Amino acid sequence: MDLDWSCSSTTTTTTGNPYCLLFQALSLIPISHYLLFSSFVFLSFLYRFLELHFLQDLFSLFSGSSVTLTYHPASQFYDAVVSKCRILHGTYLATPWLSSPHLQTVFLNFFGRPPFFKYRRQLFTTPDGGTVALDWLLSSDVSAGAIHMEDVVSTDESTPIVVVIPGLTSDSSSAYLKHLAYHTAKCGWKVVVSNHRGLGGVSITSDCFYNAGWTEDVRTVVNYLHKENPRAPLFVVGTSIGANILIKYLGEDGENIPVAGAVAVCSPWDLLIGDRFITRRHVQKFYDKALAIGLQGYAKLHQPHFSRLANWEGIEKSISIRDFDHHATRIVGKYETVDTYYRRCSSSTYVQSVSIPLLCISALDDPVCTREAIPWDECRANKNIVLATVKHGGHLAFFEGITASGLWWVRAVNEFLGELRASHFMHVQKKITKPTIPLDSSIDQGPYVNVKEDGMVAALNNEPKTDNVEEIQVIQDTDNDGLEMIPEEKVVKQDELETNAKIRGSPGIAQACVHDAAVHVITPFKRDLGQLSRQNRWSIWLLVYIAITTSWPLVGSALYIVFGKKIRDILPNGLVRK
């Protein structure tokens, strides 16, 4: 049946076309009402897309959300330290005009409002020839009217030192790290930001690069600082990927670590889950693309190394973190697949082995590191860990106040470190002594080879000797507006690296990592084999004696039958008759 869509201009009657009646009724509505309705629909969509929570904050009269603490019920560390932290037992209220995890995260990276100060730079050489920029900030540098009167770092033996591990492609000039360094130094402590290799304006001087699971640099730096400042308590704060590296480092070394306490902020925990999460929604893909661009920029700064060791064409075409890891990180780190790299470098598998006081801070609405990856049960089972989660906050943002001038997590970290410093729960590295094994110990206590893969070109010793670490005495002030690239020849001279390599028994820089890897495998084997030989020396001789005495009758009889006739012919007749 055909419908008549024509509408007459005469007065509408009850027998007219219903669609014409509807159209005529809609035409009577003012256009301004349509605009208001469209604006409402768009704002509703935007409100959900940006995950805004302004209305929730408004209905709660801006009282904020409480901090949820997850810990072991019998944790003495919580009772003695964390229970005294008022900030962790209070509430967090986001800046009203930043009531969104995305707005907070984007505002932090593009604005951030960092405080103004200058670092003191120290260029540090690792055992494999790599260069790490250590940016220091002292309490005297942030005090009123502070003037640099000297070009060296103060050597106060009792002042605590806070080592900061930046996030992915971040360095000491990042806004959130400046907030942390400034307020921590204000508390009277020393702060040193350990920049990743190739970041902070320093060239790459070896074939070992950092990644999400590369713990050798933080281990080497911490051991070096502990050797130079044996009476100063060392604390470590890791952020984002730096938090993942920190937790993995703590789990790998256990109690054998010169760190008094640590804080992990916005850790990704499980890199495989994070990889699935960051490609799930369109808004997450924005962060994936942004981080991939940052990684490409990092690779372009060191193109000669990446073009030689990785797939440069694939790096240029990468549009996600996974693409970059496939064409660069996986190849340099000698991983079979990207998923293999993610599994081996995830810190969630090392949580149960953490043996020092550790505070973990995460936001449940983090748009980069999802809450799905948080190991709730593992954190609750470890008496040394307290997990603090906040409903809002974004990624490393947690802006508070009407002017968004401060970060909540920075205040929480400083309060926690202060309470830990005043308590008796600071971890003290135990002296490692070789156990005395009695002579009658079982033989099954034999040598073993423990080869540990950290995902770089060559793994290094878990406990590098800081005697081999050379400190390049170059101290400079770093401008707030960013760090300029320092030419490689100014960082470290090629002939000096060749000389150091020859001292270590390697003919060049490129073979330094391979040499260290061989030493890493052979040295434990030789040590344990020698120990086994010394311990079982008497046992072996005892076994030889027992074997001879028990088998002699049979062996003697066999020898007598075989050689008896010859013996009778040789011996005199009288002796034989006797």
Side-chain angles (χ1 to χ4, degrees):
M1 179 179 180
D2 296 333
L3 297 177
D4 184 11
W5 293 92
S6 62
C7 297
S8 60
S9 59
T10 59
T11 304
T12 304
T13 61
T14 56
T15 59
N17 191 304
Y19 293 97
C20 291
L21 296 176
L22 179 61
F23 177 77
Q24 292 177 0
L26 293 175
S27 64
L28 297 177
I29 301 176
I31 298 179
S32 59
H33 292 190
Y34 285 106
L35 294 177
L36 290 175
F37 179 77
S38 300
S39 300
F40 175 78
V41 173
F42 174 75
L43 291 177
S44 299
F45 170 79
L46 191 64
Y47 189 92
R48 294 182 60 86
F49 182 79
L50 295 179
E51 301 178 47
L52 291 164
H53 49 84
F54 177 80
L55 294 179
Q56 293 92 317
D57 295 340
L58 178 63
F59 294 151
S60 64
L61 301 178
F62 297 101
S63 58
S65 57
S66 59
V67 182
T68 302
L69 299 177
T70 303
Y71 55 92
H72 194 281
S75 175
Q76 297 180 358
F77 159 59
Y78 170 82
D79 296 334
V81 179
V82 181
S83 62
K84 299 180 181 179
C85 297
R86 296 183 178 180
I87 297 176
L88 295 177
H89 286 80
T91 59
Y92 164 68
L93 175 63
T95 300
W97 47 278
L98 292 175
S99 299
S100 164
H102 307 293
L103 294 180
Q104 290 218 39
T105 305
V106 172
F107 185 81
L108 174 67
N109 287 271
F110 285 95
F111 303 99
R113 297 183 178 179
F116 179 82
F117 59 85
K118 292 185 177 181
Y119 291 106
R120 306 181 185 207
R121 169 151 294 186
Q122 175 186 7
L123 297 182
F124 176 80
T125 305
T126 59
D128 66 289
T131 304
V132 175
L134 302 179
D135 288 334
W136 290 83
L137 187 67
L138 312 181
S139 59
S140 59
D141 300 331
V142 296
S143 59
I147 301 177
H148 291 287
M149 300 301 295
E150 55 184 8
D151 291 335
V152 295
V153 179
S154 176
T155 57
D156 187 357
E157 296 182 354
S158 60
T159 304
I161 301 176
V162 178
V163 185
V164 181
I165 309 175
L168 186 66
T169 68
S170 297
D171 55 27
S172 58
S173 63
S174 300
Y176 67 92
L177 292 181
K178 286 186 174 181
H179 279 281
L180 175 63
Y182 178 83
H183 291 285
T184 304
K186 273 283 189 181
C187 297
W189 294 18
K190 296 179 183 178
V191 181
V192 52
V193 181
S194 179
N195 296 282
H196 298 298
R197 299 186 181 204
L199 292 174
V202 177
S203 300
I204 290 180
T205 57
S206 72
D207 288 346
C208 294
F209 303 146
Y210 88 97
N211 60 32
W214 178 238
T215 59
E216 278 303 321
D217 284 346
V218 61
R219 180 178 292 106
T220 304
V221 169
V222 167
N223 289 340
Y224 163 75
L225 294 176
H226 177 63
K227 178 185 176 182
E228 295 295 319
N229 307 271
R231 297 181 57 186
L234 287 180
F235 301 91
V236 185
V237 178
T239 56
S240 191
I241 287 295
N244 186 82
I245 296 175
L246 169 61
I247 299 172
K248 185 172 181 286
Y249 161 59
L250 298 180
E252 288 174 347
D253 289 22
E255 293 186 357
N256 180 29
I257 186 173
V259 177
V263 183
V265 184
C266 294
S267 174
W269 297 105
D270 193 310
L271 302 179
L272 192 60
I273 295 178
D275 172 66
R276 305 298 189 265
F277 169 77
I278 206 168
T279 59
R280 184 180 303 171
R281 300 174 54 197
H282 292 290
V283 66
Q284 264 72 44
K285 292 181 180 179
F286 167 79
Y287 297 103
D288 192 16
K289 177 65 175 178
L291 292 173
I293 293 175
L295 290 171
Q296 286 178 326
Y298 170 73
K300 291 178 180 178
L301 289 175
H302 314 289
Q303 182 175 352
H305 295 272
F306 278 94
S307 59
R308 177 168 53 89
L309 300 173
N311 181 8
W312 181 252
E313 295 182 358
I315 292 176
E316 290 183 317
K317 298 178 181 179
S318 297
I319 59 175
S320 65
I321 300 176
R322 186 180 182 86
D323 289 342
F324 182 88
D325 290 336
H326 175 73
H327 296 293
T329 311
R330 178 188 63 85
I331 298 176
V332 176
K334 307 298 182 183
Y335 293 104
E336 295 85 355
T337 64
V338 178
D339 285 354
T340 303
Y341 159 61
Y342 289 156
R343 289 189 181 96
R344 292 184 183 177
C345 293
S346 295
S347 61
S348 58
T349 58
Y350 294 86
V351 173
Q352 60 183 358
S353 302
V354 174
S355 301
I356 72 167
L358 173 63
L359 172 66
C360 303
I361 300 177
S362 295
L364 299 181
D365 64 352
D366 193 322
V368 178
C369 302
T370 174
R371 60 187 294 180
E372 300 171 9
I374 299 177
W376 302 91
D377 292 340
E378 288 81 355
C379 291
R380 186 180 293 107
N382 193 325
K383 296 182 180 180
N384 299 306
I385 296 178
V386 173
L387 173 63
T389 54
V390 184
K391 188 176 181 181
H392 306 296
H395 187 66
L396 296 174
F398 297 83
F399 283 103
E400 59 182 354
I402 193 64
T403 60
S405 58
L407 306 182
W408 175 86
W409 69 266
V410 172
R411 291 198 303 117
V413 167
N414 288 329
E415 183 189 36
F416 166 76
L417 293 180
E419 292 293 341
L420 181 60
R421 175 74 174 88
S423 70
H424 63 280
F425 271 86
M426 285 196 306
H427 173 73
V428 178
Q429 185 180 19
K430 297 181 180 179
K431 299 294 183 180
I432 303 177
T433 57
K434 294 184 178 180
T436 303
I437 303 178
L439 295 179
D440 57 349
S441 60
S442 59
I443 292 180
D444 60 355
Q445 296 177 351
Y448 63 94
V449 178
N450 182 16
V451 182
K452 181 178 181 181
E453 298 182 4
D454 268 335
M456 304 306 291
V457 174
L460 304 176
N461 287 335
N462 290 343
E463 300 174 16
K465 296 181 179 180
T466 54
D467 294 338
N468 296 329
V469 177
E470 296 183 4
E471 177 184 358
I472 302 179
Q473 298 296 337
V474 180
I475 309 294
Q476 69 178 28
D477 289 338
T478 304
D479 195 355
N480 273 336
D481 295 333
L483 303 175
E484 297 181 356
M485 286 297 298
I486 301 176
E488 185 170 347
E489 59 270 18
K490 290 186 179 181
V491 176
V492 60
K493 295 181 179 179
Q494 181 76 12
D495 54 353
E496 293 179 357
L497 288 177
E498 293 291 344
T499 303
N500 295 337
K502 291 179 181 179
I503 293 175
R504 292 192 298 267
S506 177
I509 302 173
Q511 300 179 7
C513 291
V514 178
H515 173 73
D516 290 338
V519 173
H520 176 66
V521 174
I522 296 173
T523 301
F525 182 80
K526 289 183 176 180
R527 182 182 65 249
D528 294 332
L529 183 60
Q531 184 178 2
L532 178 67
S533 300
R534 290 191 299 270
Q535 293 172 356
N536 298 309
R537 184 176 301 166
W538 294 104
S539 299
I540 293 174
W541 285 112
L542 181 61
L543 291 175
V544 172
Y545 172 76
I546 295 174
I548 293 176
T549 55
T550 55
S551 61
W552 176 248
L554 180 61
V555 175
S557 301
L559 292 175
Y560 181 79
I561 295 173
V562 174
F563 300 101
K565 183 177 181 180
K566 294 182 179 181
I567 294 175
R568 287 192 296 270
D569 295 339
I570 295 174
L571 293 177
N573 295 332
L575 183 60
V576 172
R577 286 192 296 269
K578 291 181 181 179

